Amino acid sequence: MANSASRAKRLIRRQAKQATLDILPMLIGSGPFGIIFAVIANNAGLSFWQSQGFSLFVFAGSAQFVGINLLSAGVATGAIWLATYFINLRHLLYGASLASFARPLSQRWLLPLSFWLTDETFATVIARFEKAHLGVWAKWYWLFASIAMYLNWQLWCAAGYWLGDLLPGAENWGLEFAMVATFVVIIVSQITSIGRLIGVLAAAVISVTLALPYNLGMIAAALIGVIVGAWIDHRQVSQ
Amino acid sequence: MTVSEYWWLIAGMTVATFVSRYPSLWYFSRRPAPNWLKSLLDYLPSATLSAVTAPLVFSPNLGAVEQWPVWLGTVSAIGCAMRQLPPLVSILIAFAVYFGAKLLM
């Protein structure tokens, strides 16, 4: 009994190590994004805890950016809530992908994993789930990746607020390119078939050209990319 | 904006974010996705991340950022990833190319 408990502990620790290692590029890549958010919040006149409140409770990079911009523009609170929901709708897609690998999940697991779900954790965790069958350890891996991303985001945003005092204008340095580079690398590594390649290209073209409010064009682009990709691979197989 | 207005805003944004994340996780953690959906989900990660990233590369409203350095950096990121360099190395190279191009322009 004691033996199996210590074996479980060892396996959980292994997931923690692997998850932290895998998500490391995201921790670094999202750094500039967090810094810029807090610099903008600082320049908008928010106190440290008001700025950090966004990161601690909302914890959604792009929604935080839109929120702070709408707030500075004097947009009504209800409209900011709605915008937040629409911008984050893509998480519905992420949840569908991830949950099927980590079933079953109790409420105890669902609540924190939902709260901590981001683009970065999704990209990292789904890459590992596709590579290896983790079974009952999948949720642990997912949890540790989420925690690492959450703590990391808090640190970068706190540092950014402080930097905003020292270096006004840091948001114009173009640091957000780090996030672009990180996602591009992840996307390329996921292209394992001609269908996925065409799906990626279709999604990119459509999300750039289809201008709908609140990122809805982006969600449509993702769905069309999925359908096009699946259709092309399916056709190839049946030929 | 008063302090209570601020926390009201944060509370609503927190709820809005959570209800965008929770339902599908809850739903698909209870029952397996049907096969047709599973075969579609296979294409979802790459297509969604592409739809999230492309506007950052091509949108003209990145403000002060010139487009050419972004494109050069993106192309080098693609090149490095295709050569299967470690992710962190690829990202650093792309970032260096981007900043190099920015300084030269």
Side-chain angles (χ1 to χ4, degrees), chain A residues 154-212:
Chain A
Q154 304 313 321
L155 286 179
W156 286 114
C157 289
Y161 192 86
W162 175 72
L163 268 179
D165 284 333
L166 294 179
L167 310 162
E171 73 268 28
N172 295 328
W173 294 352
L175 291 172
E176 59 269 45
F177 181 74
M179 211 58 246
V180 175
T182 311
F183 281 134
V184 165
V185 168
I186 294 287
I187 294 164
V188 171
S189 71
Q190 285 174 344
I191 298 177
T192 50
S193 72
I194 192 83
R196 280 196 179 188
L197 173 64
I198 310 259
V200 161
L201 295 176
V205 171
I206 295 166
S207 85
V208 171
T209 50
L210 189 65
L212 294 177

Side-chain angles (χ1 to χ4, degrees), chain A residues 50 59 92 115 117 200 233, chain B residues 6 21-22 24 42-43 50:
Chain A
Q50 285 179 334
F59 186 51
L92 284 177
F115 177 74
L117 185 60
V200 161
D233 277 350
Chain B
Y6 164 81
R21 290 169 173 169
Y22 180 80
S24 69
D42 211 31
Y43 296 84
S50 171

Side-chain angles (χ1 to χ4, degrees), chain A residues 25 28 46 49-51 53-54 57-60 63 67 71 77 80-81 84-85 88-97 99 103-105 107 110-111 113-115 117-118 122-123 126 130 142 172-178 180-188 190 195-196 200 203-204 207-208 218 221-222 225-226 229-230 233, chain B residues 1-3 5-14 16-26 28-33 37-59 62 64-65 69-74 77-78 80-82 85-88 90-92 94-95 98-99 102:
Chain A
I28 296 169
L46 264 62
W49 283 111
Q50 285 179 334
S51 165
F54 274 91
F57 299 110
V58 184
F59 186 51
L71 181 64
T77 304
I80 301 181
W81 291 347
T84 305
Y85 178 70
N88 284 322
L89 262 184
R90 63 184 187 284
H91 294 114
L92 284 177
L93 306 178
Y94 296 165
S97 269
R103 287 187 327 117
L105 290 169
Q107 283 299 333
L110 278 173
L111 293 174
L113 290 179
S114 304
F115 177 74
L117 185 60
T118 57
F122 170 68
I126 198 74
E130 283 184 347
W142 182 356
N172 295 328
W173 294 352
L175 291 172
E176 59 269 45
F177 181 74
V180 175
T182 311
F183 281 134
V184 165
V185 168
I186 294 287
I187 294 164
V188 171
Q190 285 174 344
R196 280 196 179 188
V200 161
S207 85
V208 171
M218 192 181 86
V226 167
D233 277 350
Chain B
M1 149 169 276
T2 67
V3 170
E5 277 170 345
Y6 164 81
W7 287 109
W8 192 229
L9 171 74
I10 291 291
M13 284 182 73
T14 305
T17 303
F18 189 77
V19 295
S20 75
R21 290 169 173 169
Y22 180 80
S24 69
L25 254 183
W26 170 79
F28 290 105
S29 70
R30 289 163 62 97
R31 66 213 85 194
L37 185 61
K38 264 193 199 150
S39 58
L40 286 181
L41 285 178
D42 211 31
Y43 296 84
L44 199 131
S46 52
T48 315
L49 293 173
S50 171
V52 170
T53 313
L56 294 172
V57 177
F58 293 104
S59 106
L62 266 181
V65 184
V70 174
W71 293 341
L72 285 176
T74 303
I78 294 174
C80 290
M82 282 173 67
L85 298 182
L88 206 49
S90 306
I91 292 162
L92 290 177
F95 208 59
Y98 164 73
F99 264 109
K102 229 168 107 82

Side-chain angles (χ1 to χ4, degrees), chain A:
Chain A
M1 215 37 217
N3 228 344
S4 78
S6 74
R7 181 171 169 270
K9 252 190 210 157
R10 205 176 61 235
L11 285 169
I12 289 171
R13 217 173 298 142
R14 186 187 295 169
Q15 298 305 327
K17 220 160 135 190
Q18 186 69 52
T20 317
L21 206 67
D22 290 346
I23 206 164
L24 193 63
M26 292 292 176
L27 300 185
I28 296 169
S30 63
F33 215 46
I35 289 178
I36 296 168
F37 167 76
V39 169
I40 294 174
N42 187 335
N43 292 348
L46 264 62
S47 72
F48 174 78
W49 283 111
Q50 285 179 334
S51 165
Q52 202 67 21
F54 274 91
S55 310
L56 282 166
F57 299 110
V58 184
F59 186 51
S62 41
Q64 288 182 217
F65 271 89
V66 173
I68 198 84
N69 281 324
L70 295 182
L71 181 64
S72 313
V75 172
T77 304
I80 301 181
W81 291 347
L82 204 62
T84 305
Y85 178 70
F86 282 129
I87 289 159
N88 284 322
L89 262 184
R90 63 184 187 284
H91 294 114
L92 284 177
L93 306 178
Y94 296 165
S97 269
L98 287 173
S100 55
F101 281 99
R103 287 187 327 117
L105 290 169
S106 62
Q107 283 299 333
R108 237 178 64 187
W109 283 88
L110 278 173
L111 293 174
L113 290 179
S114 304
F115 177 74
W116 281 327
L117 185 60
T118 57
D119 297 317
E120 291 84 355
T121 6
F122 170 68
T124 306
V125 173
I126 198 74
R128 169 64 53 183
F129 284 1
E130 283 184 347
K131 250 189 279 177
H133 182 71
L134 298 182
V136 290
W137 307 109
K139 58 188 177 193
W140 287 99
Y141 176 89
W142 182 356
L143 180 74
F144 286 118
S146 305
I147 293 175
M149 194 62 212
Y150 184 70
L151 295 178
N152 172 71
W153 184 246
Q154 304 313 321
L155 286 179
W156 286 114
C157 289
Y161 192 86
W162 175 72
L163 268 179
D165 284 333
L166 294 179
L167 310 162
E171 73 268 28
N172 295 328
W173 294 352
L175 291 172
E176 59 269 45
F177 181 74
M179 211 58 246
V180 175
T182 311
F183 281 134
V184 165
V185 168
I186 294 287
I187 294 164
V188 171
S189 71
Q190 285 174 344
I191 298 177
T192 50
S193 72
I194 192 83
R196 280 196 179 188
L197 173 64
I198 310 259
V200 161
L201 295 176
V205 171
I206 295 166
S207 85
V208 171
T209 50
L210 189 65
L212 294 177
Y214 303 130
N215 288 10
L216 289 178
M218 192 181 86
I219 292 164
L223 290 176
I224 296 171
V226 167
I227 292 167
V228 169
W231 179 69
I232 287 186
D233 277 350
H234 183 76
R235 251 177 53 130
Q236 285 224 320
V237 170
S238 47
Q239 263 170 16

